[in-house]
Amino acid sequence: QAEIMVASVNNLRNLLNGKSAAGWRYHCTEKGILMFYKKYTSPTKHGFMGVGLIEKPLHCVWCMVKDHSKRQLYDKTIKTVEVHQQLGNGIELVYLVNDTSVCYLSQPRDFCCISVEAKEDQQYILAMQSIYEESMPRPVKEFVRGEM
């Protein structure tokens, strides 16, 4: 959330109008979603952000977004999503494979993440962060192990 507020200069309308800050640059619009890219000093780190309006009730959108098994319905870059383990209270270990060719990267990425969902007032949050967990799939040569 903090990264979005910095990129939008505390006004989400800026992003919806294609204006961004803090190193985020407008890249393109695809199916009504404005895509932004952020270049980092590390050649292996890439930032991507999609912004758009979804004209559906918030709870309906939330039910779709928080269910990792439905992610392929709205994110065509996702090739595999597996909930590796449910830890309870909206916390899951998730493995996913991402086709990064649409992001101009040559090799697919795989990710081992912890996913945490929360609701605060009228704000819904789904946060994911890469983790190393012994029981998660091991890296394979076909993929670059990504971090988020």
Side-chain angles (χ1 to χ4, degrees):
Q1 182 181 3
E3 186 73 29
I4 293 168
M5 296 314 289
V6 169
S8 68
V9 192
N10 292 316
N11 183 346
L12 296 177
R13 289 268 167 224
N14 284 333
L15 293 175
L16 291 169
N17 291 322
K19 299 174 186 171
S20 60
W24 289 97
R25 302 284 179 249
Y26 171 77
H27 179 68
C28 67
T29 300
E30 188 172 313
K31 296 183 180 178
I33 304 298
L34 284 80
M35 298 302 300
F36 294 85
Y37 175 76
K38 183 173 184 176
K39 188 175 184 176
Y40 291 90
T41 55
S42 168
T44 61
K45 186 175 180 181
H46 306 273
F48 300 94
M49 175 174 46
V51 178
L53 291 177
I54 302 172
E55 296 186 17
K56 297 285 182 194
L58 181 57
H59 70 278
C60 293
V61 175
W62 176 243
C63 287
M64 178 71 78
V65 169
K66 74 177 186 172
D67 184 346
H68 295 291
S69 70
K70 291 185 169 67
R71 183 143 178 202
Q72 291 169 298
L73 296 175
Y74 62 88
D75 185 349
K76 299 302 180 197
T77 68
I78 298 296
K79 296 302 172 197
T80 302
V81 178
E82 297 171 5
V83 174
H84 181 73
Q85 185 176 357
Q86 293 185 345
L87 303 175
N89 296 323
I91 302 171
E92 299 175 322
L93 297 181
V94 179
Y95 175 74
L96 56 95
V97 176
N98 190 287
D99 174 10
T100 54
S101 63
V102 296
C103 303
Y104 307 106
L105 301 175
S106 58
Q107 274 188 288
R109 300 311 199 249
D110 72 338
F111 299 87
C112 294
C113 303
I114 188 164
S115 172
V116 179
E117 66 179 73
K119 181 182 177 202
E120 298 174 5
D121 300 319
Q122 285 297 317
Q123 193 172 47
Y124 295 81
I125 300 165
L126 180 66
M128 295 180 73
Q129 182 174 346
S130 295
I131 61 163
Y132 175 79
E133 164 57 44
E134 190 71 30
S135 67
M136 297 286 281
R138 296 280 173 253
V140 294
K141 66 180 179 178
E142 293 85 14
F143 306 128
V144 173
R145 178 58 50 96
E147 292 185 29
M148 65 173 75

